[in-house]
Amino acid sequence: MNQQLFEKVDQYISHLVAPEDRFLQETIQSLDDASMPQISITPTQGKFLQVMMLMCKAKRVLELGTLGAYSTIWMARAIPADGKVITIEYDPHHADIARRNIAKAGLDDQIDLRVGKAMDLLKEFIAKNEDPFDFIFIDADKPPYTEYFELALELSHPGTVIVCDNIIREGKVLDENTTDEKVKGVQRFNTMLASNPKVTATIMQTVGAKEYDGMAIAIVN
């Protein structure tokens, strides 16, 4: 694979259809400033999420894995004024940086940041009969992806779109003897997704600035 070519094409697409404003650029810079990992989605992936959200007319959005709120900002910009993105972040330090970025982008009213274990918070939402979400983006720790997805289904309605990131792991999903817990987590998730009667789903390989990976896209039946 020619990674340099993939990056150039990704930049070409981004400049055409997904240009970053200063708030998105500053959000990426804030990760370096705070010694956080540069594992946000790309601008083209952010625009992809927006297109998916507009297609399903998403008003209530759930995100697992806020990091610095880069993807959160992209998604919040695709909901109506009375919509809401609830985003969950486990790391309090990451959450503090994310809050600053959300405030700078002027999106405090559209984004509700919750801090804690996603598994616990999802179960809490279910116990409290939280209204279902129209769009769910899962981009958190990989070993429990299957459990996250199953809980997300309980917070969905027919037509809810669920997107899960990082499920090809540079092709490592093909290694049946892997000891990598992240890879094992997405292998288990992919197998579950393929046989889940509650959704119609596919998996798309992705290449670009973030190298080689993939996303699952599912719609609740």
Side-chain angles (χ1 to χ4, degrees), residues 73-148:
I73 291 170
W74 273 104
M75 291 191 291
R77 290 174 170 175
I79 57 174
D82 59 344
K84 184 72 72 174
V85 176
I86 296 178
T87 183
I88 296 173
E89 174 54 48
Y90 174 72
D91 189 312
H93 174 58
H94 295 178
D96 286 342
I97 301 302
R99 284 196 187 93
R100 294 179 207 169
N101 292 328
I102 290 166
K104 286 180 181 178
L107 292 168
D108 283 321
D109 291 339
Q110 281 73 45
I111 298 172
D112 179 0
L113 173 57
R114 312 284 181 93
V115 182
K117 291 184 178 180
M119 204 80 72
D120 294 341
L121 290 172
L122 292 176
K123 291 177 180 178
E124 184 180 310
F125 291 165
I126 293 166
K128 291 182 177 179
N129 293 314
E130 186 87 25
D131 289 339
F133 293 92
D134 308 309
F135 186 90
I136 300 173
F137 181 46
I138 301 176
D139 191 12
D141 50 321
K142 309 310 174 211
Y145 252 38
T146 298
E147 288 72 25
Y148 288 155

Side-chain angles (χ1 to χ4, degrees), residues 3-130:
Q3 180 59 32
Q4 194 172 38
L5 175 61
F6 293 155
E7 290 180 5
K8 287 181 178 179
V9 173
D10 209 348
Q11 292 169 2
Y12 166 79
I13 296 170
S14 174
H15 291 156
L16 278 178
V17 301
E20 294 177 303
D21 64 10
R22 71 178 182 88
F23 299 111
L24 289 168
Q25 292 171 348
E26 289 173 2
T27 295
I28 291 298
Q29 181 59 47
S30 73
L31 302 184
D32 283 338
D33 295 343
S35 300
M36 292 164 61
Q38 284 289 0
I39 54 174
S40 304
I41 60 172
T42 65
T44 53
Q45 290 170 337
K47 189 61 175 287
F48 169 76
L49 294 180
Q50 287 189 341
V51 171
M52 290 284 103
M53 290 170 61
L54 292 169
M55 288 173 67
C56 69
K57 299 180 181 178
K59 186 174 180 181
R60 282 179 51 77
V61 178
L62 175 64
E63 177 184 44
L64 308 187
T66 315
L67 193 64
Y70 185 81
S71 55
T72 323
I73 291 170
W74 273 104
M75 291 191 291
R77 290 174 170 175
I79 57 174
D82 59 344
K84 184 72 72 174
V85 176
I86 296 178
T87 183
I88 296 173
E89 174 54 48
Y90 174 72
D91 189 312
H93 174 58
H94 295 178
D96 286 342
I97 301 302
R99 284 196 187 93
R100 294 179 207 169
N101 292 328
I102 290 166
K104 286 180 181 178
L107 292 168
D108 283 321
D109 291 339
Q110 281 73 45
I111 298 172
D112 179 0
L113 173 57
R114 312 284 181 93
V115 182
K117 291 184 178 180
M119 204 80 72
D120 294 341
L121 290 172
L122 292 176
K123 291 177 180 178
E124 184 180 310
F125 291 165
I126 293 166
K128 291 182 177 179
N129 293 314
E130 186 87 25

